[in-house]
Amino acid sequence: MTDQRFEELLKIKETAKLGGGAKRIQLQHEKGKLTARERIELLADEGSFEEVDMFVKHRSKDFGLDKEQYLGDGVVTGFAKIDGRSVALFSQDFTVFGGSLSETHAEKIVKIMNMAMKIGIPVIGLNDSGGARIQEGVVSLGGYADIFLLNTLASGVIPQISVVMGPCAGGAVYSPAITDFIFMVRNSSYMFVTGPNVVKTVTHEDVSFEDLGGAETHATKSGVAHFIYDNEIETLNNVRRLFNYFPLNFMDHAVEKEFDLESLKPDVRLDQIIPDNPNKPYNMKMVVNLLVDDEDFMEIHSEYAENIITGFGRIGGMSVGIIANQPQVLAGVLDINASVKGARFVRFCDAFNIPLLVLVDVPGFLPGTEQEWNGIIRHGSKLLYAFCEATVPKVTVITRKAYGGAYDVMNSKHIRGDFNFAWPSAEIAVMGPKGAVEIIFKKEISKAINPVEELSNKLSEYIAKFANPYTAAERGFIDDVIVPNETKIKLISAFNLLRNKVDKNPKKKHGNIPL
Ligand code: HXC
């Protein structure tokens, strides 16, 4: 072949790499945003990205589009490695028609998603797009639908991560929404079904882009975003971090890190965490941090429904999904948002063979008309359903309260908890001592010569009977009562033992989770 042919190829590739051109790249940088290719460089292991479909161009002729052609058509797609493990990637290029999605742009995404499903590797999508390519009309809408369908078919087969790094509006939001995790960047990304102008027309509300659908809004109010960071570099570093906890597909297992079991000593700091007064809050994150290797816990939804904690860590080198009540927020009560947040997390872990550690300190479900009228029955049952159907190794530690229905829900023995441990501070009962005594001894207390003394006597009786882990342990509902400082050792041996656990649900098309 002649040198001229090689030069021609090089020239085409150099042009493709410029996307919408130097001027638009400059504009992108001026907005504090990186280009599609710069993002991939940061996300993937150095030199590992193998691009496909660089030569693809759109096929539209309307509105003069045939005179405006860019190689790659506004999305960079291909395969790369993250810490040596394969991943399929797409990265929308805002410098080409605002990253808008055309028929061919969609075909490129669909192609790598189909490949990822066949190979069994995760898909990461970097979204930065003005939505449907307006000039293409319904063809572009069809392209979105093709992606939505694949997002759905891939759900539970391979992990899917969406990183929103610019606009993501209209129906386009539903692709990230179906994927497993959404990352957003503070002050430069937004997601909404209808923008501020439409909102103004329809509801007369004045709202900014940021307030309506910025990262902060979705991390705190709507729960749409699982992770938010200050800038793109930090965001992409954390995508890499999250990727490490996942297997490549539903038949794979997460990579195990080396762990020196010999050096593990009982951690007496755990013995100091539970206050003597059962009504005093404490920070469950302290417990979580002391249980995970290197105190390295990657929290999900850290600012949303903070009464429940979800996230990934390693225990004895094994990747584990941790779900814990947080007594420091609303006393750790389960409400609608906490139930939905927890349920989705449990289902992700179960779909991808990630064992679950459940830390329990829960006074029950949140009472009140607001919760009842908004469907705490429907939503609370999601968490129950998720724990019931999960067949991954499931280990529970009750640190303090496990009251009422919430005791059953939080991975109790009855719903296939494999190892259920309790600390001596555990209180496992239908309800807290005061509420219980006031109901069952109502008559005795009201008739007593000294009602205060009678209440106190009955309280002591109730506490002796139920405000401990032993009544449950007598029945085998608790496998062992353990001192806090030996918890990590117990967990490592439990998860090791459960390594080859096999449990199955009845054959069915799919269950009908209460949505
Ligand atoms: C074609 C588009 C485009 C689109 C932007 N561009 N959005 N081209 N289709 N949807 C082009 C612009 O013409 C411009 O081209 C370049 O991208 C950059 O856009 P700017 O407007 O200059 O950038 P900026 O000021 O940063 O504003 C970004 C934006 C705005 C907020 C995204 O472009 C915008 O509002 N776009 C339209 C968004 C929209 O309504 N999309 C349809 C949503 S409905 P030049 O040549 O000047 O560089 C939808 C339905 C999905 O998406 C349905 C799925 C089922």
Side-chain angles (χ1 to χ4, degrees):
M1 232 186 290
T2 60
D3 284 353
Q4 199 187 345
R5 292 261 170 121
F6 295 150
E7 275 167 26
E8 186 188 6
L9 173 63
L10 266 179
K11 216 170 125 196
I12 297 173
K13 289 201 167 182
E14 285 311 312
T15 311
K17 283 182 184 158
L18 277 178
K23 201 166 154 238
R24 289 197 184 92
I25 290 176
Q26 194 190 333
L27 278 174
Q28 178 85 344
H29 286 157
E30 279 168 10
K31 285 183 203 157
K33 289 162 69 181
L34 298 168
T35 64
R37 284 170 200 281
E38 287 166 344
R39 288 167 179 162
I40 290 176
E41 263 171 45
L42 283 168
L43 179 61
D45 291 351
E46 204 180 331
S48 70
F49 183 56
E50 301 287 347
E51 187 168 348
V52 295
D53 285 345
M54 190 188 239
F55 303 94
V56 166
K57 292 182 190 170
H58 70 73
R59 297 187 276 263
S60 321
K61 295 198 168 53
D62 295 330
F63 304 103
L65 273 193
D66 47 343
K67 293 180 198 71
E68 208 176 345
Q69 291 281 2
Y70 300 93
L71 291 166
D73 200 26
V75 64
V76 182
T77 58
F79 303 88
K81 296 223 189 287
I82 292 181
D83 288 325
R85 297 192 311 148
S86 297
V87 63
L89 293 176
F90 71 86
S91 180
Q92 292 179 314
D93 184 350
F94 192 82
T95 68
V96 175
F97 301 115
S100 59
L101 187 130
S102 66
E103 183 185 22
T104 40
H105 178 130
E107 281 170 3
K108 286 181 66 174
I109 295 175
V110 163
K111 189 187 210 177
I112 59 133
M113 286 184 74
N114 271 323
M115 278 292 274
M117 280 172 73
K118 280 190 223 162
I119 309 167
I121 56 172
V123 175
I124 301 178
L126 309 182
N127 298 264
D128 187 0
S129 166
R133 176 101 31 104
I134 296 168
Q135 298 91 327
E136 287 201 6
V138 70
V139 174
S140 157
L141 299 185
Y144 268 117
D146 293 339
I147 295 169
F148 300 157
L149 176 66
L150 270 186
N151 285 137
T152 307
L153 297 181
S155 178
V157 180
I158 48 174
Q160 300 178 81
I161 300 173
S162 297
V163 191
V164 181
M165 309 188 99
C168 183
V173 295
Y174 290 114
S175 172
I178 297 173
T179 64
D180 299 301
F181 293 101
I182 297 181
F183 286 74
M184 291 183 78
V185 188
R186 278 198 183 90
N187 303 317
S188 67
S189 65
Y190 52 85
M191 296 176 76
F192 39 66
V193 173
T194 49
N197 293 341
V198 179
V199 169
K200 173 86 180 153
T201 314
V202 177
T203 68
H204 310 294
E205 288 169 289
D206 269 317
V207 64
S208 67
F209 277 66
E210 198 56 34
D211 281 351
L212 184 63
E216 204 69 48
T217 295
H218 286 310
T220 57
K221 290 195 170 88
S222 71
V224 166
H226 299 86
F227 301 96
I228 62 166
Y229 297 97
D230 285 341
N231 58 59
E232 297 194 5
I233 297 171
E234 212 187 318
T235 304
L236 293 166
N237 283 340
N238 278 288
V239 176
R240 287 179 61 93
R241 184 177 169 215
L242 182 71
F243 190 80
N244 254 300
Y245 292 107
F246 297 172
L248 295 180
N249 58 64
F250 80 104
M251 291 188 294
D252 188 24
H253 284 86
V255 174
E256 215 170 307
K257 295 267 160 85
E258 273 187 29
F259 182 81
D260 180 13
L261 199 56
E262 304 288 302
S263 68
L264 184 64
K265 303 268 177 304
D267 192 336
V268 290
R269 288 174 297 176
L270 283 163
D271 299 336
Q272 315 300 325
I273 293 177
I274 307 292
D276 290 333
N277 177 352
N279 296 321
K280 214 170 149 199
Y282 61 92
N283 187 358
M284 185 66 98
K285 281 187 204 167
M286 283 164 61
V287 178
V288 174
N289 284 332
L290 293 179
L291 292 178
V292 294
D293 301 349
D294 306 320
E295 302 194 14
D296 185 9
F297 177 58
M298 182 159 196
E299 191 175 357
I300 302 164
H301 269 148
S302 64
E303 294 176 76
Y304 178 75
E306 291 172 68
N307 38 334
I308 204 159
I309 301 165
T310 53
F312 295 105
R314 282 197 150 74
I315 294 185
M318 294 168 272
S319 174
V320 172
I322 297 157
I323 172 161
N325 308 115
Q326 171 57 293
Q328 207 168 54
V329 179
L330 291 171
V333 77
L334 288 174
D335 61 0
I336 291 171
N337 291 348
S339 301
V340 177
K341 166 176 163 179
R344 185 142 170 88
F345 178 70
V346 168
R347 295 195 100 216
F348 176 82
C349 292
D350 189 47
F352 292 107
N353 310 315
I354 300 171
L356 284 165
L357 168 62
V358 186
L359 302 174
V360 182
D361 188 346
V362 63
F365 282 92
L366 183 63
T369 51
E370 194 263 338
Q371 288 287 306
E372 294 290 352
W373 294 347
N374 284 301
I376 182 69
I377 298 175
R378 268 185 312 119
H379 299 294
S381 61
K382 290 177 176 145
L383 185 58
L384 174 59
Y385 189 108
F387 272 127
C388 285
E389 76 170 348
T391 55
V392 281
K394 299 191 288 188
V395 179
T396 299
V397 180
I398 301 177
T399 59
R400 195 168 61 176
K401 294 169 192 167
Y403 290 163
Y407 155 73
D408 280 346
V409 170
M410 292 300 292
N411 196 41
S412 61
K413 199 74 189 164
H414 323 277
I415 59 171
R416 299 194 284 182
D418 293 304
F419 285 103
N420 291 62
F421 300 117
W423 287 359
S425 46
E427 302 174 12
I428 305 167
V430 172
M431 59 171 74
K434 192 157 178 293
V437 163
E438 282 170 357
I439 294 170
I440 56 179
F441 299 115
K442 190 173 163 188
K443 282 194 196 117
E444 286 92 328
I445 293 167
S446 65
K447 281 185 197 150
I449 301 165
N450 185 342
V452 177
E453 195 186 325
E454 184 67 8
L455 174 70
S456 159
N457 290 340
K458 295 294 182 199
L459 265 177
S460 306
E461 198 184 319
Y462 186 91
I463 288 167
K465 177 95 185 128
F466 288 125
N468 62 62
Y470 303 108
T471 310
E474 275 170 29
R475 300 247 165 197
F477 300 162
I478 294 297
D479 295 295
D480 198 3
V481 182
I482 59 175
V483 286
N485 71 49
E486 62 176 341
T487 306
K488 177 144 183 174
I489 298 164
K490 286 277 183 186
L491 291 178
I492 294 175
S493 89
F495 284 124
N496 264 321
L497 201 60
L498 291 165
R499 202 179 275 276
N500 297 320
K501 173 192 171 186
V502 178
D503 199 356
K504 285 199 166 60
N505 291 325
K507 203 166 181 296
K508 59 180 105 172
K509 188 174 177 194
H510 61 70
N512 188 11
I513 188 166
L515 293 173

